Amino acid sequence: MTDKLWGGRFTASAPEWVQAFGASIQVDQAMAKEDLEGSIAHVKMLGKQGIIAPDEAQQIEAGLQALMTDLEAGKLHFDVKNEDVHLNMEKLLTDKIGPVAGKLHTARSRNDQVATDFHLWLMHRLPLIFDRLKGLQTTLLDLAEKYLGVIMPGYTHLQHAQPIAYSHYLMAYFEMFQRDYERFEFSKKHIDILPLGASALAGTTFSIDREMVAKELGFSAVYANSLDAVSDRDFALEFLSNASILMMHLSRMAEELILWGSYEFNYLELSDAYTTGSSIMPQKKNADYAELIRGKTGRVYGELMGMLAVMKSLPLAYNKDMQEDKEGVFATMDTVLAALPIFDHMLVTLEIHPDKMSASLEKDYSNATELADYLAEKGLPFRQAHAVVGHLVLKAIEAQKGLGELSLADFQAANPMIEEDVYQVLDPMTAVNRRQSQGGTGLSQVKAAIAKARQELAAE
Ligand code: ARG
């Protein structure tokens, strides 16, 4: 027998450095609170069901509560020799209340215990994500309202495409973050299930009450199948996947902040607080935080890929491989919970340059579609209108002029249907405002989108 809690059938132990390789306490101590909560609910149930004597259950519960107090005071010390948070806690409980602590593990296994801790850990942190996402969405709405009327080039292929309202651009991100919010909401359904009671894999001979434990811990359902309960990590994969998509959104916008803050664009300037200088070039102002958010997005994707790879081909039910499931989830949670408010403050303190945005619309031909639409409205088939305008664009490029700088004679030579009102049509602000189709960039559409978004946000 070795000195391990499970040491009964063992006659030899690995050297300490090998044991450290097998241990997870370095990582899973982050779930210490959840582990105690799970144990408290479990022992209450054992007592109520008469599986252990009620006074013993009370003794154990008191011991666990005392450990909780110690934990909150930073007084719990874990030992890598005790492998993981579960065995460390049992050891600490035994030190506190003696051998009766050994009754806590009745009708339970570390397999359903670790899954329960992990579910609880995520459940406790989802509200923080909701909160921070909402904060960012509110900022986007505030900015969209503040800058209503600012226009800029809309891009496809990073080439000027058509003029758009800057607020319309901001609202596009609002929509993305709204879907992120909804995805995390959907994911609640699969997090909010109790594995405890599955025991090692097959259920237990004791007359446990899983519903009671679920209620104690705030879960709205229990796993239907004990094998699934201990081997399911879909909920963690869903979290990583949702986090990856959210980070992708942050990263895309971060990229635009970086690009648009460059000398060539100069559409905006990040606050000094969210930029850093160079150790050699005195003039530098670098968008480090935006770059880091973009960079950390890659790491988050990596955690998703890593966990998918860990889970691939694992036979049912529990396998020690699954101990590798937590590190990436914990790191991803830290990244997401930091990236959201950082991004939010970066936007709050952002300075935008509306004059530069509109100036870049002057000779960029992003009003070419307006002229084609103008001719199509007058009855010319759109394909023909496209060709006429293409020709005019070429002419303007050769003359180094914007489309609006061509003379009426130039226009009429290309097509006699073009009249004096063409200059109004070619104005970028007109171009934006005429896009009144549902979901378009026309200011009345953008205003309506903002109002609807405000309502939705308030209703959440
Ligand atoms: N530390 C383990 C983990 O995180 C706990 C479950 C261990 N179960 C077992 N049968 N060895 O996965």
Side-chain angles (χ1 to χ4, degrees), residues 111-112 114-119 122 187-195 198 200-201 222-239 307 311 314-319 322 325-326:
N111 298 348
D112 56 347
V114 69
T116 302
D117 293 4
F118 205 12
H119 277 264
L122 273 168
S187 79
K188 255 202 312 212
K189 186 168 182 223
H190 295 161
I191 296 172
D192 190 11
I193 319 177
L194 175 74
L201 74 163
V222 301
Y223 270 89
N225 180 297
S226 63
L227 289 172
D228 184 38
V230 290
S231 61
D232 170 37
R233 292 295 182 272
D234 295 359
F235 65 98
L237 286 166
E238 283 170 2
F239 167 72
M307 182 141 173
M311 295 307 293
L314 283 191
L316 296 190
Y318 177 82
N319 300 269
M322 288 158 72
D325 60 359
K326 286 167 231 52

Side-chain angles (χ1 to χ4, degrees), residues 6 22-25 28 31 83-86 109-115 200 233 318-326:
W6 39 254
S24 57
I25 185 65
D28 62 23
M31 308 191 300
E83 205 176 317
D84 58 21
V85 67
H86 325 294
S109 148
R110 270 188 296 158
N111 298 348
D112 56 347
Q113 189 180 355
V114 69
R233 292 295 182 272
Y318 177 82
N319 300 269
K320 187 77 163 182
D321 314 43
M322 288 158 72
Q323 183 166 281
E324 293 299 313
D325 60 359
K326 286 167 231 52

Side-chain angles (χ1 to χ4, degrees), residues 48-61:
K48 195 206 111 215
Q49 293 297 96
I51 296 170
I52 66 174
D55 64 312
E56 290 173 331
Q58 269 159 24
Q59 233 182 306
I60 295 171
E61 191 188 333

Side-chain angles (χ1 to χ4, degrees), residues 112-387:
D112 56 347
Q113 189 180 355
V114 69
T116 302
D117 293 4
F118 205 12
H119 277 264
L120 274 177
W121 190 92
L122 273 168
M123 258 199 348
H124 289 162
R125 280 153 189 83
L126 272 190
L128 298 175
I129 297 186
F130 291 133
D131 232 50
R132 287 168 206 201
L133 259 174
K134 263 191 168 186
L136 176 58
Q137 286 183 294
T138 307
T139 296
L140 285 167
L141 284 184
D142 292 346
L143 294 178
E145 245 161 29
K146 179 170 167 192
Y147 294 122
L148 211 66
V150 172
I151 58 169
M152 64 175 296
Y155 297 85
T156 62
H157 313 268
L158 202 57
Q159 304 283 336
H160 286 207
Q162 291 173 350
I164 57 166
Y166 178 59
S167 301
H168 194 51
Y169 160 83
L170 293 170
M171 289 305 291
Y173 280 99
F174 177 94
E175 294 295 332
M176 293 177 231
F177 295 126
Q178 184 58 27
R179 285 195 298 276
D180 288 318
Y181 194 102
E182 287 167 19
R183 260 185 292 273
F184 282 110
E185 280 251 310
F186 298 149
S187 79
K188 255 202 312 212
K189 186 168 182 223
H190 295 161
I191 296 172
D192 190 11
I193 319 177
L194 175 74
L196 209 65
S199 205
L201 74 163
T204 175
T205 53
F206 294 97
S207 62
I208 58 172
D209 181 350
R210 298 184 70 201
E211 301 293 342
M212 173 186 166
V213 177
K215 210 160 155 222
E216 282 284 331
L217 292 172
F219 285 103
S220 23
V222 301
Y223 270 89
N225 180 297
S226 63
L227 289 172
D228 184 38
V230 290
S231 61
D232 170 37
R233 292 295 182 272
D234 295 359
F235 65 98
L237 286 166
E238 283 170 2
F239 167 72
L240 290 172
S241 165
N242 295 341
S244 294
I245 298 174
L246 163 61
M247 290 300 295
M248 179 264 287
H249 294 150
L250 289 177
S251 178
R252 290 181 80 173
M253 197 170 184
E255 167 66 12
E256 284 158 341
L257 291 176
I258 296 161
L259 191 67
W260 295 354
S262 67
Y263 181 83
E264 286 73 12
F265 277 85
N266 197 19
Y267 287 175
L268 48 82
E269 186 172 345
L270 287 163
S271 152
D272 282 3
Y274 287 94
T275 48
T276 57
S278 152
S279 60
I280 170 170
M281 298 166 280
Q283 86 287 6
K284 284 285 247 155
K285 184 171 163 180
N286 299 325
D288 279 26
Y289 293 98
E291 289 170 26
L292 267 177
I293 285 170
R294 191 176 60 181
K296 282 175 190 288
T297 301
R299 297 266 302 257
V300 170
Y301 292 1
E303 302 299 359
L304 171 63
M305 291 306 142
M307 182 141 173
L308 282 168
V310 166
M311 295 307 293
K312 175 183 174 292
S313 316
L314 283 191
L316 296 190
Y318 177 82
N319 300 269
K320 187 77 163 182
D321 314 43
M322 288 158 72
Q323 183 166 281
E324 293 299 313
D325 60 359
K326 286 167 231 52
E327 205 168 339
V329 169
F330 295 172
T332 296
M333 185 65 84
D334 285 347
T335 300
V336 166
L337 289 182
L340 284 170
I342 290 173
F343 208 89
D344 188 348
H345 295 151
M346 213 152 64
L347 291 182
V348 169
T349 55
L350 180 71
E351 188 187 293
I352 71 152
H353 302 154
D355 50 327
K356 297 284 193 280
M357 291 179 175
S358 56
S360 73
L361 289 165
E362 270 161 28
K363 286 188 190 180
D364 70 341
Y365 311 105
S366 64
N367 49 0
T369 316
E370 307 317 303
L371 187 51
D373 284 353
Y374 170 90
L375 286 168
E377 275 165 31
K378 287 185 185 273
L380 195 66
F382 184 80
R383 213 23 81 214
Q384 260 169 274
H386 188 290

